[in-house]
Amino acid sequence: FLKTIALIQPIETTNDNINSLSKYLGIDSRKCLDTIRKLKSSGLLREKNDTVRIAPDLLGDYLCELAFGPDFSDNERTTKAILDSLDDCFIPNFIKNVLQLDWRLADPSNNVAHSRTLLGPIWEYLYNLKSTPHTSIDSLLDIIENIAFSSYRETYEKSIPSSVLLQFLIFVASIIS
């Protein structure tokens, strides 16, 4: 439960989002809401404006990393499960959280290889989304817009000459063309 929250946080606690999360987790929506209430009362989840996230942030970061398995061996399976099973409203947060995980774990001497391993399934998903009949270019660009600013800002603030940002810009160019 907490690993999934870590991957898609922050989560607006609307009925639709809770139903989608419950379905993904294979639990009843009432049980999902009850678990969220218990986690809030224990201090593991913080709520602000009907949105919850794991507190402290360090715990959320650690759980996000654990969700991909040792040495990221579950990366493709975890990414595919999230992207294929959860509603679209969770996708931008998931992508942002994986990008942030990539930055935290980036080894400056081997940034390219690491990023391809962690982010490859996401680039593939977004590229394939382009050719899905029900996906408009506007909705695809909305997803990209949601992650683009934080990608740039994070790279700039950490002064990382990030191949991840370059991959992202090449990807955007391929979708638009």
Side-chain angles (χ1 to χ4, degrees):
F1 192 93
L2 279 174
K3 287 180 192 176
T4 301
I5 299 290
L7 288 171
I8 62 173
Q9 70 179 342
I11 299 171
E12 288 184 52
T13 54
T14 64
N15 286 337
D16 289 343
N17 287 356
I18 296 301
N19 290 336
S20 176
L21 181 60
S22 300
K23 184 178 174 186
Y24 174 78
L25 294 169
I27 61 174
D28 181 71
S29 59
R30 285 173 291 182
K31 183 175 181 176
C32 185
L33 273 173
D34 189 47
T35 303
I36 288 172
R37 278 189 211 103
K38 288 177 182 175
L39 290 170
K40 285 190 312 190
S41 68
S42 72
L44 284 174
L45 287 182
R46 294 258 164 86
E47 184 172 29
K48 182 179 180 182
N49 300 328
D50 295 325
T51 301
V52 295
R53 68 177 303 110
I54 294 174
D57 287 342
L58 184 59
L59 176 60
D61 294 347
Y62 178 70
L63 290 169
C64 191
E65 186 176 337
L66 283 181
F68 288 108
D71 299 323
F72 302 101
S73 56
D74 294 336
N75 177 33
E76 284 192 47
R77 184 180 57 76
T78 300
T79 299
K80 186 169 174 40
I82 293 282
L83 294 174
D84 290 347
S85 303
L86 281 171
D87 287 343
D88 290 348
C89 64
F90 294 114
I91 292 173
N93 287 347
F94 173 69
I95 293 172
K96 276 198 262 190
N97 290 332
V98 174
L99 282 168
Q100 290 171 353
L101 174 62
D102 185 73
W103 279 307
R104 284 191 304 275
L105 300 177
D107 174 1
S109 66
N110 193 19
N111 198 9
V112 175
H114 174 71
S115 296
R116 285 190 185 141
T117 301
L118 192 56
L119 300 175
I122 290 174
W123 301 142
E124 182 179 338
Y125 169 82
L126 288 172
Y127 186 77
N128 290 336
L129 194 63
K130 174 178 115 172
S131 60
T132 304
H134 72 278
T135 303
S136 71
I137 194 69
D138 289 339
S139 63
L140 189 56
L141 289 174
D142 285 345
I143 291 172
I144 292 169
E145 180 184 19
N146 275 322
I147 61 174
F149 179 73
S150 66
S151 301
Y152 173 78
R153 190 186 78 229
E154 189 83 21
T155 301
Y156 179 77
E157 286 175 359
K158 291 186 175 183
S159 300
I160 299 171
S162 178
S163 64
V164 174
L165 183 59
L166 181 58
Q167 281 180 356
F168 180 74
L169 293 174
I170 290 169
F171 167 76
V172 170
S174 74
I175 284 189
I176 293 173
S177 60

